Structures are given as structure tokens and as C-alpha cells.
Amino acid sequence: MNAGDAIPELRTTPDRFLTVRYAGASGDFNPIHIDEDFAKQVGLPGRILHGLWTMAQVARAQTEAAGGPQSLQRLAVQFRGMGVPEAEVEVSGEVREVRDGVALIDTRAVQNGKAIIRNAEAEVRLPTIQE
Amino acid sequence: MNTEAVGKTYPSTTYAVGREKIKEYAFAVGETNPLHLDVGAARAAGYRDVVAPPMFAVVYSAPSVTPALFDPEVGINFAMMVHGGQEFVWGPLVVAGDGITTTASVKSIEERAGNGFFVFASESVNQDGETVCRATWTNIVRGVA
């Protein structure tokens, strides 16, 4: 992994019931994520994805690129707009620089042509080559 | 805006990390690395038990961070709140069997362009005293002014 390299894209489509499974797994049962009627009552198009689920996809793109969970040192994101179930989420990223074995990666998550996570920065420790 | 809660620290909570909870979380976020799912694979790689994905920090931090978000002294209007940003800085990996103690605090409350920025910090430490995660949670409340 060198400056200017792209990380492999991660593409995933959250199914209709993903937000229910993520609510149970994370403990975030905010009804805007699991109750279609409630979400519409508060002015949303329908149930929306948990931002932290989308952030977990950004994290997974980094750990899959760098060889495992031990590589991820830091991840900072901004959430924008909202993600929805049943539409593909695509995570991409490029290495900005590598310093002392740690790659700084500019990364984002896009759905329906819009960044739902933007200005994200990841720091991943690169595997050391064993002789 | 009332900023008196800035600096307030909430009671620490300790979360017992379970093997099946890690698996449930890993499936929900699409993790397929056997380190998260297979205790044999985790042990073969030198870990005591299955490894929590880094973003599992959400799970072990929540019991401390959630009461801060709902604190009436902070005064967030949830109907108008959006999760604006999030940062995690990780230390040693968390594995099943760990006890993770998290302490949350109010870092800042500011108004910018009519919106309220409520920033919380949390620090999570394992049973050996190692910091496994420091987090910054930014929530934006629209139309505070």
C-alpha cells in the first residue's frame, strides 16, 4: 500500500431487515431505523440505516484492505444525508500518505450517487514483512 | 444555549464481552473474518478468544454514552438531532472474556449557524488497564437559535 493507491472497493446491499438485525446487535432501537410508519411520521422517506452501521462498512473496507482487525488504529467520519435499506452502499478510499508503517486513507461511503459518509479518514498499520 | 454540562463526567460502566455477542455483531455488519467467528481460528492467530471487530466499540461504549446523550442537563432535543460525526482511536484488540470499562463525558456544546453541536468523549479501558478505545461522538441539533 503506497501513497496514491486505491483500496479495494467494498460493495454491500443492506437487505430489508438489516436495520432490525443491527438494532439488536448494537442496542440502538431508535424507531426511525425499524418502524416504517414512525419514520414517515417524523418526515423521513422511510426507515433509514444506522449511521454507525454504515461507518462499520467503512471500517470493514479498511481492515479487509490491510489484512485484519488489528490494522485499524483510527477512523473519523462525518455523516451526511441518510442511508436507506435495499440500495447498494459503496465504500472507496485512497492512500494519502504512508508514515512509519501507518497508511492515512481518505475514504467515504456512497449510496444512490450521494456520499452518506464523507470526509472520512482512516489510519491503518500496514503488515510488517516477515523474513 | 446552556453549556453548563460541559466537562460533566458520567458514571463508568463495565461491559462483559461475550463470544456470541461478537458473532451477532459481526454478522450484522457483514464481517466474515474467522477471527470474529471461530474461536479456533482466533486462538491459532494468538488471541485468547474471538476478536471483536473494531466498531464493536459502539456496543461496549453504549451503556456509558447513552445516559450522557439523554441527560436533561445536556438538553438535547431528540426530534431535531442527527449524528453528525464520529471518531474512534483504537488500542489493543478486544476479545471475548474481556471486561471493558467506559467513562463518558461532555466535551463541548456550541452553537454554529443556528445549530447546536453536542460533542461527547468516551474512554474504554480493559481489565488490564489498557486503553482499548477513545471515542468522540458529535451530535447536531438543528435549529437551536
PDB file of all heavy atoms in Angstrom, chain A residues 18 24-25 52-53 55-57 59-60 69-70 72-79, chain B residues 21 24 28-31 33 36 54-55 59 83-90 93:
ATOM      1  N   LEU A  18     -32.119  -5.611   7.533  1.00  0.00           N
ATOM      2  CA  LEU A  18     -30.789  -5.355   8.108  1.00  0.00           C
ATOM      3  C   LEU A  18     -30.874  -4.436   9.326  1.00  0.00           C
ATOM      4  O   LEU A  18     -30.214  -4.669  10.338  1.00  0.00           O
ATOM      5  CB  LEU A  18     -29.887  -4.735   7.019  1.00  0.00           C
ATOM      6  CG  LEU A  18     -28.468  -4.317   7.393  1.00  0.00           C
ATOM      7  CD1 LEU A  18     -28.383  -2.954   8.036  1.00  0.00           C
ATOM      8  CD2 LEU A  18     -27.744  -5.354   8.219  1.00  0.00           C
ATOM      9  N   GLY A  24     -30.650  -4.947  17.027  1.00  0.00           N
ATOM     10  CA  GLY A  24     -30.435  -5.952  18.063  1.00  0.00           C
ATOM     11  C   GLY A  24     -28.966  -6.107  18.410  1.00  0.00           C
ATOM     12  O   GLY A  24     -28.589  -6.198  19.580  1.00  0.00           O
ATOM     13  N   ALA A  25     -28.115  -6.114  17.390  1.00  0.00           N
ATOM     14  CA  ALA A  25     -26.686  -6.330  17.626  1.00  0.00           C
ATOM     15  C   ALA A  25     -26.042  -5.153  18.341  1.00  0.00           C
ATOM     16  O   ALA A  25     -25.143  -5.316  19.157  1.00  0.00           O
ATOM     17  CB  ALA A  25     -25.974  -6.585  16.295  1.00  0.00           C
ATOM     18  N   LEU A  52     -23.923   4.348  12.254  1.00  0.00           N
ATOM     19  CA  LEU A  52     -22.790   3.552  12.743  1.00  0.00           C
ATOM     20  C   LEU A  52     -22.685   2.199  12.031  1.00  0.00           C
ATOM     21  O   LEU A  52     -21.606   1.605  12.004  1.00  0.00           O
ATOM     22  CB  LEU A  52     -22.872   3.375  14.268  1.00  0.00           C
ATOM     23  CG  LEU A  52     -22.604   4.677  15.042  1.00  0.00           C
ATOM     24  CD1 LEU A  52     -22.997   4.522  16.509  1.00  0.00           C
ATOM     25  CD2 LEU A  52     -21.135   5.101  14.924  1.00  0.00           C
ATOM     26  N   TRP A  53     -23.781   1.718  11.440  1.00  0.00           N
ATOM     27  CA  TRP A  53     -23.673   0.527  10.577  1.00  0.00           C
ATOM     28  C   TRP A  53     -22.882   0.898   9.318  1.00  0.00           C
ATOM     29  O   TRP A  53     -21.977   0.171   8.896  1.00  0.00           O
ATOM     30  CB  TRP A  53     -25.050  -0.021  10.186  1.00  0.00           C
ATOM     31  CG  TRP A  53     -24.944  -1.196   9.241  1.00  0.00           C
ATOM     32  CD1 TRP A  53     -24.764  -2.507   9.582  1.00  0.00           C
ATOM     33  CD2 TRP A  53     -24.939  -1.145   7.803  1.00  0.00           C
ATOM     34  NE1 TRP A  53     -24.655  -3.275   8.439  1.00  0.00           N
ATOM     35  CE2 TRP A  53     -24.761  -2.473   7.338  1.00  0.00           C
ATOM     36  CE3 TRP A  53     -25.075  -0.115   6.861  1.00  0.00           C
ATOM     37  CZ2 TRP A  53     -24.713  -2.790   5.973  1.00  0.00           C
ATOM     38  CZ3 TRP A  53     -25.017  -0.434   5.505  1.00  0.00           C
ATOM     39  CH2 TRP A  53     -24.845  -1.755   5.069  1.00  0.00           C
ATOM     40  N   MET A  55     -20.780   3.313   9.045  1.00  0.00           N
ATOM     41  CA  MET A  55     -19.377   3.507   9.456  1.00  0.00           C
ATOM     42  C   MET A  55     -18.672   2.155   9.595  1.00  0.00           C
ATOM     43  O   MET A  55     -17.486   2.031   9.265  1.00  0.00           O
ATOM     44  CB  MET A  55     -19.316   4.284  10.769  1.00  0.00           C
ATOM     45  CG  MET A  55     -17.906   4.633  11.209  1.00  0.00           C
ATOM     46  SD  MET A  55     -17.921   5.647  12.722  1.00  0.00           S
ATOM     47  CE  MET A  55     -16.150   5.859  12.990  1.00  0.00           C
ATOM     48  N   ALA A  56     -19.408   1.127  10.052  1.00  0.00           N
ATOM     49  CA  ALA A  56     -18.807  -0.205  10.163  1.00  0.00           C
ATOM     50  C   ALA A  56     -18.424  -0.756   8.792  1.00  0.00           C
ATOM     51  O   ALA A  56     -17.463  -1.526   8.672  1.00  0.00           O
ATOM     52  CB  ALA A  56     -19.749  -1.160  10.892  1.00  0.00           C
ATOM     53  N   GLN A  57     -19.171  -0.371   7.738  1.00  0.00           N
ATOM     54  CA  GLN A  57     -18.786  -0.796   6.379  1.00  0.00           C
ATOM     55  C   GLN A  57     -17.493  -0.089   5.953  1.00  0.00           C
ATOM     56  O   GLN A  57     -16.631  -0.687   5.302  1.00  0.00           O
ATOM     57  CB  GLN A  57     -19.903  -0.515   5.369  1.00  0.00           C
ATOM     58  CG  GLN A  57     -21.248  -1.109   5.738  1.00  0.00           C
ATOM     59  CD  GLN A  57     -21.144  -2.553   6.190  1.00  0.00           C
ATOM     60  OE1 GLN A  57     -20.616  -3.409   5.471  1.00  0.00           O
ATOM     61  NE2 GLN A  57     -21.636  -2.833   7.396  1.00  0.00           N
ATOM     62  N   ALA A  59     -15.207   0.903   8.030  1.00  0.00           N
ATOM     63  CA  ALA A  59     -14.149   0.247   8.816  1.00  0.00           C
ATOM     64  C   ALA A  59     -13.754  -1.086   8.180  1.00  0.00           C
ATOM     65  O   ALA A  59     -12.568  -1.415   8.068  1.00  0.00           O
ATOM     66  CB  ALA A  59     -14.634   0.020  10.249  1.00  0.00           C
ATOM     67  N   ARG A  60     -14.763  -1.837   7.730  1.00  0.00           N
ATOM     68  CA  ARG A  60     -14.505  -3.167   7.152  1.00  0.00           C
ATOM     69  C   ARG A  60     -13.708  -3.053   5.856  1.00  0.00           C
ATOM     70  O   ARG A  60     -12.818  -3.880   5.579  1.00  0.00           O
ATOM     71  CB  ARG A  60     -15.852  -3.860   6.906  1.00  0.00           C
ATOM     72  CG  ARG A  60     -15.745  -5.292   6.495  1.00  0.00           C
ATOM     73  CD  ARG A  60     -17.036  -6.029   6.805  1.00  0.00           C
ATOM     74  NE  ARG A  60     -18.174  -5.605   5.998  1.00  0.00           N
ATOM     75  CZ  ARG A  60     -18.477  -6.105   4.787  1.00  0.00           C
ATOM     76  NH1 ARG A  60     -17.706  -7.020   4.220  1.00  0.00           N
ATOM     77  NH2 ARG A  60     -19.551  -5.687   4.136  1.00  0.00           N
ATOM     78  N   PRO A  69      -8.396  -7.021  11.598  1.00  0.00           N
ATOM     79  CA  PRO A  69      -8.889  -6.004  12.542  1.00  0.00           C
ATOM     80  C   PRO A  69      -7.777  -5.306  13.321  1.00  0.00           C
ATOM     81  O   PRO A  69      -7.960  -4.173  13.781  1.00  0.00           O
ATOM     82  CB  PRO A  69      -9.793  -6.806  13.492  1.00  0.00           C
ATOM     83  CG  PRO A  69      -9.330  -8.221  13.386  1.00  0.00           C
ATOM     84  CD  PRO A  69      -8.849  -8.382  11.965  1.00  0.00           C
ATOM     85  N   GLN A  70      -6.637  -5.981  13.472  1.00  0.00           N
ATOM     86  CA  GLN A  70      -5.543  -5.386  14.250  1.00  0.00           C
ATOM     87  C   GLN A  70      -4.939  -4.172  13.541  1.00  0.00           C
ATOM     88  O   GLN A  70      -4.223  -3.388  14.163  1.00  0.00           O
ATOM     89  CB  GLN A  70      -4.445  -6.438  14.530  1.00  0.00           C
ATOM     90  CG  GLN A  70      -3.604  -6.855  13.336  1.00  0.00           C
ATOM     91  CD  GLN A  70      -4.352  -7.732  12.331  1.00  0.00           C
ATOM     92  OE1 GLN A  70      -5.422  -8.257  12.612  1.00  0.00           O
ATOM     93  NE2 GLN A  70      -3.770  -7.877  11.143  1.00  0.00           N
ATOM     94  N   LEU A  72      -6.498  -1.530  12.111  1.00  0.00           N
ATOM     95  CA  LEU A  72      -7.212  -0.245  12.157  1.00  0.00           C
ATOM     96  C   LEU A  72      -6.910   0.490  13.456  1.00  0.00           C
ATOM     97  O   LEU A  72      -7.248   0.028  14.542  1.00  0.00           O
ATOM     98  CB  LEU A  72      -8.718  -0.467  11.999  1.00  0.00           C
ATOM     99  CG  LEU A  72      -9.574   0.784  11.806  1.00  0.00           C
ATOM    100  CD1 LEU A  72      -9.156   1.585  10.581  1.00  0.00           C
ATOM    101  CD2 LEU A  72     -11.051   0.398  11.705  1.00  0.00           C
ATOM    102  N   GLN A  73      -6.263   1.650  13.331  1.00  0.00           N
ATOM    103  CA  GLN A  73      -5.849   2.434  14.503  1.00  0.00           C
ATOM    104  C   GLN A  73      -6.816   3.574  14.812  1.00  0.00           C
ATOM    105  O   GLN A  73      -6.970   3.971  15.953  1.00  0.00           O
ATOM    106  CB  GLN A  73      -4.478   3.083  14.250  1.00  0.00           C
ATOM    107  CG  GLN A  73      -3.474   2.167  13.601  1.00  0.00           C
ATOM    108  CD  GLN A  73      -2.572   1.552  14.619  1.00  0.00           C
ATOM    109  OE1 GLN A  73      -1.726   2.218  15.179  1.00  0.00           O
ATOM    110  NE2 GLN A  73      -2.784   0.287  14.887  1.00  0.00           N
ATOM    111  N   ARG A  74      -7.386   4.116  13.749  1.00  0.00           N
ATOM    112  CA  ARG A  74      -8.242   5.292  13.933  1.00  0.00           C
ATOM    113  C   ARG A  74      -9.182   5.390  12.750  1.00  0.00           C
ATOM    114  O   ARG A  74      -8.789   5.082  11.613  1.00  0.00           O
ATOM    115  CB  ARG A  74      -7.365   6.551  13.987  1.00  0.00           C
ATOM    116  CG  ARG A  74      -8.135   7.867  14.010  1.00  0.00           C
ATOM    117  CD  ARG A  74      -7.181   9.072  14.134  1.00  0.00           C
ATOM    118  NE  ARG A  74      -7.908  10.292  13.888  1.00  0.00           N
ATOM    119  CZ  ARG A  74      -8.000  10.913  12.703  1.00  0.00           C
ATOM    120  NH1 ARG A  74      -7.342  10.441  11.656  1.00  0.00           N
ATOM    121  NH2 ARG A  74      -8.705  12.006  12.578  1.00  0.00           N
ATOM    122  N   LEU A  75     -10.418   5.832  13.025  1.00  0.00           N
ATOM    123  CA  LEU A  75     -11.354   6.135  11.946  1.00  0.00           C
ATOM    124  C   LEU A  75     -12.206   7.317  12.397  1.00  0.00           C
ATOM    125  O   LEU A  75     -12.788   7.290  13.487  1.00  0.00           O
ATOM    126  CB  LEU A  75     -12.245   4.923  11.635  1.00  0.00           C
ATOM    127  CG  LEU A  75     -13.257   5.096  10.504  1.00  0.00           C
ATOM    128  CD1 LEU A  75     -12.581   5.393   9.173  1.00  0.00           C
ATOM    129  CD2 LEU A  75     -14.140   3.844  10.371  1.00  0.00           C
ATOM    130  N   ALA A  76     -12.246   8.350  11.577  1.00  0.00           N
ATOM    131  CA  ALA A  76     -13.058   9.537  11.862  1.00  0.00           C
ATOM    132  C   ALA A  76     -13.929   9.790  10.651  1.00  0.00           C
ATOM    133  O   ALA A  76     -13.443   9.764   9.512  1.00  0.00           O
ATOM    134  CB  ALA A  76     -12.169  10.749  12.132  1.00  0.00           C
ATOM    135  N   VAL A  77     -15.229  10.011  10.871  1.00  0.00           N
ATOM    136  CA  VAL A  77     -16.161  10.197   9.746  1.00  0.00           C
ATOM    137  C   VAL A  77     -17.101  11.360  10.022  1.00  0.00           C
ATOM    138  O   VAL A  77     -17.331  11.746  11.161  1.00  0.00           O
ATOM    139  CB  VAL A  77     -17.028   8.930   9.491  1.00  0.00           C
ATOM    140  CG1 VAL A  77     -16.171   7.688   9.340  1.00  0.00           C
ATOM    141  CG2 VAL A  77     -18.082   8.726  10.572  1.00  0.00           C
ATOM    142  N   GLN A  78     -17.671  11.882   8.933  1.00  0.00           N
ATOM    143  CA  GLN A  78     -18.816  12.791   9.012  1.00  0.00           C
ATOM    144  C   GLN A  78     -19.996  12.098   8.332  1.00  0.00           C
ATOM    145  O   GLN A  78     -19.843  11.546   7.241  1.00  0.00           O
ATOM    146  CB  GLN A  78     -18.506  14.111   8.303  1.00  0.00           C
ATOM    147  CG  GLN A  78     -17.465  14.944   9.019  1.00  0.00           C
ATOM    148  CD  GLN A  78     -17.141  16.221   8.267  1.00  0.00           C
ATOM    149  OE1 GLN A  78     -17.717  16.526   7.222  1.00  0.00           O
ATOM    150  NE2 GLN A  78     -16.197  16.973   8.798  1.00  0.00           N
ATOM    151  N   PHE A  79     -21.143  12.148   8.990  1.00  0.00           N
ATOM    152  CA  PHE A  79     -22.360  11.585   8.405  1.00  0.00           C
ATOM    153  C   PHE A  79     -23.089  12.689   7.644  1.00  0.00           C
ATOM    154  O   PHE A  79     -23.181  13.821   8.126  1.00  0.00           O
ATOM    155  CB  PHE A  79     -23.281  11.037   9.495  1.00  0.00           C
ATOM    156  CG  PHE A  79     -22.653   9.942  10.319  1.00  0.00           C
ATOM    157  CD1 PHE A  79     -22.215  10.184  11.606  1.00  0.00           C
ATOM    158  CD2 PHE A  79     -22.495   8.664   9.795  1.00  0.00           C
ATOM    159  CE1 PHE A  79     -21.633   9.180  12.371  1.00  0.00           C
ATOM    160  CE2 PHE A  79     -21.909   7.662  10.550  1.00  0.00           C
ATOM    161  CZ  PHE A  79     -21.481   7.927  11.843  1.00  0.00           C
TER     162      PHE A  79
ATOM    163  N   LYS B  21     -22.110 -12.538  21.396  1.00  0.00           N
ATOM    164  CA  LYS B  21     -22.449 -11.139  21.061  1.00  0.00           C
ATOM    165  C   LYS B  21     -21.528 -10.630  19.954  1.00  0.00           C
ATOM    166  O   LYS B  21     -21.965  -9.932  19.029  1.00  0.00           O
ATOM    167  CB  LYS B  21     -22.348 -10.255  22.309  1.00  0.00           C
ATOM    168  CG  LYS B  21     -22.843  -8.839  22.088  1.00  0.00           C
ATOM    169  CD  LYS B  21     -24.354  -8.803  21.847  1.00  0.00           C
ATOM    170  CE  LYS B  21     -24.831  -7.431  21.424  1.00  0.00           C
ATOM    171  NZ  LYS B  21     -26.295  -7.425  21.217  1.00  0.00           N
ATOM    172  N   GLU B  24     -22.858 -12.130  16.782  1.00  0.00           N
ATOM    173  CA  GLU B  24     -24.101 -11.462  16.360  1.00  0.00           C
ATOM    174  C   GLU B  24     -23.777 -10.114  15.703  1.00  0.00           C
ATOM    175  O   GLU B  24     -24.318  -9.765  14.645  1.00  0.00           O
ATOM    176  CB  GLU B  24     -24.995 -11.252  17.590  1.00  0.00           C
ATOM    177  CG  GLU B  24     -26.297 -10.531  17.294  1.00  0.00           C
ATOM    178  CD  GLU B  24     -27.040 -10.102  18.563  1.00  0.00           C
ATOM    179  OE1 GLU B  24     -26.501 -10.267  19.676  1.00  0.00           O
ATOM    180  OE2 GLU B  24     -28.158  -9.584  18.424  1.00  0.00           O
ATOM    181  N   ALA B  28     -24.165  -8.860  11.710  1.00  0.00           N
ATOM    182  CA  ALA B  28     -24.996  -7.694  11.382  1.00  0.00           C
ATOM    183  C   ALA B  28     -24.240  -6.688  10.516  1.00  0.00           C
ATOM    184  O   ALA B  28     -24.859  -5.957   9.745  1.00  0.00           O
ATOM    185  CB  ALA B  28     -25.500  -7.020  12.661  1.00  0.00           C
ATOM    186  N   VAL B  29     -22.920  -6.631  10.660  1.00  0.00           N
ATOM    187  CA  VAL B  29     -22.163  -5.659   9.856  1.00  0.00           C
ATOM    188  C   VAL B  29     -21.420  -6.320   8.691  1.00  0.00           C
ATOM    189  O   VAL B  29     -20.668  -5.650   7.985  1.00  0.00           O
ATOM    190  CB  VAL B  29     -21.167  -4.828  10.721  1.00  0.00           C
ATOM    191  CG1 VAL B  29     -21.928  -3.996  11.745  1.00  0.00           C
ATOM    192  CG2 VAL B  29     -20.118  -5.705  11.380  1.00  0.00           C
ATOM    193  N   GLY B  30     -21.646  -7.619   8.487  1.00  0.00           N
ATOM    194  CA  GLY B  30     -21.076  -8.273   7.315  1.00  0.00           C
ATOM    195  C   GLY B  30     -19.631  -8.709   7.450  1.00  0.00           C
ATOM    196  O   GLY B  30     -18.966  -8.985   6.448  1.00  0.00           O
ATOM    197  N   GLU B  31     -19.137  -8.792   8.697  1.00  0.00           N
ATOM    198  CA  GLU B  31     -17.752  -9.250   8.881  1.00  0.00           C
ATOM    199  C   GLU B  31     -17.678 -10.759   8.667  1.00  0.00           C
ATOM    200  O   GLU B  31     -18.484 -11.512   9.229  1.00  0.00           O
ATOM    201  CB  GLU B  31     -17.267  -8.940  10.311  1.00  0.00           C
ATOM    202  CG  GLU B  31     -17.061  -7.475  10.600  1.00  0.00           C
ATOM    203  CD  GLU B  31     -15.755  -6.925  10.031  1.00  0.00           C
ATOM    204  OE1 GLU B  31     -15.019  -7.678   9.358  1.00  0.00           O
ATOM    205  OE2 GLU B  31     -15.483  -5.735  10.270  1.00  0.00           O
ATOM    206  N   ASN B  33     -14.356 -12.279   8.599  1.00  0.00           N
ATOM    207  CA  ASN B  33     -13.041 -12.723   9.059  1.00  0.00           C
ATOM    208  C   ASN B  33     -13.220 -13.752  10.180  1.00  0.00           C
ATOM    209  O   ASN B  33     -13.906 -13.488  11.169  1.00  0.00           O
ATOM    210  CB  ASN B  33     -12.265 -11.499   9.576  1.00  0.00           C
ATOM    211  CG  ASN B  33     -10.808 -11.820   9.870  1.00  0.00           C
ATOM    212  OD1 ASN B  33     -10.484 -12.876  10.398  1.00  0.00           O
ATOM    213  ND2 ASN B  33      -9.934 -10.892   9.512  1.00  0.00           N
ATOM    214  N   HIS B  36     -13.332 -13.242  14.082  1.00  0.00           N
ATOM    215  CA  HIS B  36     -14.516 -12.778  14.811  1.00  0.00           C
ATOM    216  C   HIS B  36     -15.507 -13.907  15.105  1.00  0.00           C
ATOM    217  O   HIS B  36     -16.398 -13.741  15.931  1.00  0.00           O
ATOM    218  CB  HIS B  36     -15.263 -11.707  14.000  1.00  0.00           C
ATOM    219  CG  HIS B  36     -14.407 -10.572  13.569  1.00  0.00           C
ATOM    220  ND1 HIS B  36     -13.599  -9.877  14.427  1.00  0.00           N
ATOM    221  CD2 HIS B  36     -14.218 -10.012  12.345  1.00  0.00           C
ATOM    222  CE1 HIS B  36     -12.956  -8.933  13.750  1.00  0.00           C
ATOM    223  NE2 HIS B  36     -13.307  -8.996  12.498  1.00  0.00           N
ATOM    224  N   PRO B  54     -13.325  -3.830  15.296  1.00  0.00           N
ATOM    225  CA  PRO B  54     -13.072  -2.526  15.933  1.00  0.00           C
ATOM    226  C   PRO B  54     -14.346  -1.739  16.238  1.00  0.00           C
ATOM    227  O   PRO B  54     -14.477  -1.146  17.324  1.00  0.00           O
ATOM    228  CB  PRO B  54     -12.186  -1.808  14.912  1.00  0.00           C
ATOM    229  CG  PRO B  54     -11.471  -2.925  14.203  1.00  0.00           C
ATOM    230  CD  PRO B  54     -12.444  -4.063  14.137  1.00  0.00           C
ATOM    231  N   MET B  55     -15.310  -1.754  15.304  1.00  0.00           N
ATOM    232  CA  MET B  55     -16.533  -0.971  15.502  1.00  0.00           C
ATOM    233  C   MET B  55     -17.446  -1.539  16.589  1.00  0.00           C
ATOM    234  O   MET B  55     -18.457  -0.920  16.945  1.00  0.00           O
ATOM    235  CB  MET B  55     -17.282  -0.823  14.176  1.00  0.00           C
ATOM    236  CG  MET B  55     -16.628   0.147  13.202  1.00  0.00           C
ATOM    237  SD  MET B  55     -16.643   1.861  13.810  1.00  0.00           S
ATOM    238  CE  MET B  55     -18.412   2.165  13.784  1.00  0.00           C
ATOM    239  N   VAL B  59     -20.801  -1.070  20.889  1.00  0.00           N
ATOM    240  CA  VAL B  59     -21.563  -1.921  21.810  1.00  0.00           C
ATOM    241  C   VAL B  59     -21.065  -1.737  23.244  1.00  0.00           C
ATOM    242  O   VAL B  59     -21.850  -1.508  24.156  1.00  0.00           O
ATOM    243  CB  VAL B  59     -21.467  -3.396  21.366  1.00  0.00           C
ATOM    244  CG1 VAL B  59     -22.222  -4.293  22.347  1.00  0.00           C
ATOM    245  CG2 VAL B  59     -22.017  -3.567  19.948  1.00  0.00           C
ATOM    246  N   HIS B  83     -26.862  12.436  13.935  1.00  0.00           N
ATOM    247  CA  HIS B  83     -25.496  12.041  14.291  1.00  0.00           C
ATOM    248  C   HIS B  83     -24.583  12.693  13.256  1.00  0.00           C
ATOM    249  O   HIS B  83     -24.633  12.352  12.080  1.00  0.00           O
ATOM    250  CB  HIS B  83     -25.403  10.517  14.251  1.00  0.00           C
ATOM    251  CG  HIS B  83     -24.176   9.978  14.911  1.00  0.00           C
ATOM    252  ND1 HIS B  83     -24.014   8.633  15.136  1.00  0.00           N
ATOM    253  CD2 HIS B  83     -23.084  10.573  15.411  1.00  0.00           C
ATOM    254  CE1 HIS B  83     -22.846   8.438  15.736  1.00  0.00           C
ATOM    255  NE2 HIS B  83     -22.256   9.602  15.903  1.00  0.00           N
ATOM    256  N   GLY B  84     -23.788  13.666  13.690  1.00  0.00           N
ATOM    257  CA  GLY B  84     -23.001  14.443  12.738  1.00  0.00           C
ATOM    258  C   GLY B  84     -21.657  13.835  12.400  1.00  0.00           C
ATOM    259  O   GLY B  84     -21.210  13.885  11.250  1.00  0.00           O
ATOM    260  N   GLY B  85     -21.006  13.273  13.408  1.00  0.00           N
ATOM    261  CA  GLY B  85     -19.676  12.728  13.159  1.00  0.00           C
ATOM    262  C   GLY B  85     -19.262  11.795  14.267  1.00  0.00           C
ATOM    263  O   GLY B  85     -19.859  11.777  15.352  1.00  0.00           O
ATOM    264  N   GLN B  86     -18.245  11.016  13.969  1.00  0.00           N
ATOM    265  CA  GLN B  86     -17.800  10.008  14.928  1.00  0.00           C
ATOM    266  C   GLN B  86     -16.329   9.727  14.689  1.00  0.00           C
ATOM    267  O   GLN B  86     -15.894   9.637  13.539  1.00  0.00           O
ATOM    268  CB  GLN B  86     -18.612   8.717  14.709  1.00  0.00           C
ATOM    269  CG  GLN B  86     -18.318   7.621  15.689  1.00  0.00           C
ATOM    270  CD  GLN B  86     -18.852   7.945  17.071  1.00  0.00           C
ATOM    271  OE1 GLN B  86     -19.938   8.482  17.225  1.00  0.00           O
ATOM    272  NE2 GLN B  86     -18.058   7.656  18.090  1.00  0.00           N
ATOM    273  N   GLU B  87     -15.605   9.606  15.792  1.00  0.00           N
ATOM    274  CA  GLU B  87     -14.199   9.208  15.688  1.00  0.00           C
ATOM    275  C   GLU B  87     -13.901   8.140  16.721  1.00  0.00           C
ATOM    276  O   GLU B  87     -14.345   8.237  17.868  1.00  0.00           O
ATOM    277  CB  GLU B  87     -13.277  10.412  15.928  1.00  0.00           C
ATOM    278  CG  GLU B  87     -11.796  10.032  15.862  1.00  0.00           C
ATOM    279  CD  GLU B  87     -10.858  11.220  16.029  1.00  0.00           C
ATOM    280  OE1 GLU B  87     -11.298  12.265  16.535  1.00  0.00           O
ATOM    281  OE2 GLU B  87      -9.687  11.079  15.647  1.00  0.00           O
ATOM    282  N   PHE B  88     -13.162   7.125  16.299  1.00  0.00           N
ATOM    283  CA  PHE B  88     -12.642   6.130  17.229  1.00  0.00           C
ATOM    284  C   PHE B  88     -11.131   6.048  17.037  1.00  0.00           C
ATOM    285  O   PHE B  88     -10.642   6.041  15.897  1.00  0.00           O
ATOM    286  CB  PHE B  88     -13.228   4.737  16.961  1.00  0.00           C
ATOM    287  CG  PHE B  88     -14.698   4.615  17.256  1.00  0.00           C
ATOM    288  CD1 PHE B  88     -15.619   4.542  16.218  1.00  0.00           C
ATOM    289  CD2 PHE B  88     -15.175   4.554  18.559  1.00  0.00           C
ATOM    290  CE1 PHE B  88     -16.981   4.418  16.482  1.00  0.00           C
ATOM    291  CE2 PHE B  88     -16.527   4.433  18.831  1.00  0.00           C
ATOM    292  CZ  PHE B  88     -17.432   4.367  17.794  1.00  0.00           C
ATOM    293  N   VAL B  89     -10.425   5.959  18.146  1.00  0.00           N
ATOM    294  CA  VAL B  89      -8.983   5.672  18.127  1.00  0.00           C
ATOM    295  C   VAL B  89      -8.810   4.403  18.960  1.00  0.00           C
ATOM    296  O   VAL B  89      -9.225   4.360  20.126  1.00  0.00           O
ATOM    297  CB  VAL B  89      -8.170   6.830  18.732  1.00  0.00           C
ATOM    298  CG1 VAL B  89      -6.680   6.472  18.768  1.00  0.00           C
ATOM    299  CG2 VAL B  89      -8.396   8.117  17.944  1.00  0.00           C
ATOM    300  N   TRP B  90      -8.238   3.376  18.345  1.00  0.00           N
ATOM    301  CA  TRP B  90      -8.198   2.067  18.997  1.00  0.00           C
ATOM    302  C   TRP B  90      -6.816   1.722  19.527  1.00  0.00           C
ATOM    303  O   TRP B  90      -5.791   2.083  18.933  1.00  0.00           O
ATOM    304  CB  TRP B  90      -8.613   0.980  18.010  1.00  0.00           C
ATOM    305  CG  TRP B  90     -10.070   0.992  17.673  1.00  0.00           C
ATOM    306  CD1 TRP B  90     -11.082   0.471  18.426  1.00  0.00           C
ATOM    307  CD2 TRP B  90     -10.691   1.538  16.496  1.00  0.00           C
ATOM    308  NE1 TRP B  90     -12.287   0.665  17.794  1.00  0.00           N
ATOM    309  CE2 TRP B  90     -12.082   1.311  16.614  1.00  0.00           C
ATOM    310  CE3 TRP B  90     -10.218   2.196  15.360  1.00  0.00           C
ATOM    311  CZ2 TRP B  90     -12.996   1.709  15.642  1.00  0.00           C
ATOM    312  CZ3 TRP B  90     -11.124   2.605  14.394  1.00  0.00           C
ATOM    313  CH2 TRP B  90     -12.492   2.353  14.537  1.00  0.00           C
ATOM    314  N   LEU B  93      -6.655  -4.966  20.660  1.00  0.00           N
ATOM    315  CA  LEU B  93      -7.945  -5.556  20.285  1.00  0.00           C
ATOM    316  C   LEU B  93      -8.675  -6.088  21.509  1.00  0.00           C
ATOM    317  O   LEU B  93      -8.063  -6.566  22.471  1.00  0.00           O
ATOM    318  CB  LEU B  93      -7.725  -6.692  19.287  1.00  0.00           C
ATOM    319  CG  LEU B  93      -7.338  -6.262  17.872  1.00  0.00           C
ATOM    320  CD1 LEU B  93      -7.002  -7.491  17.030  1.00  0.00           C
ATOM    321  CD2 LEU B  93      -8.455  -5.465  17.214  1.00  0.00           C
TER     322      LEU B  93
END
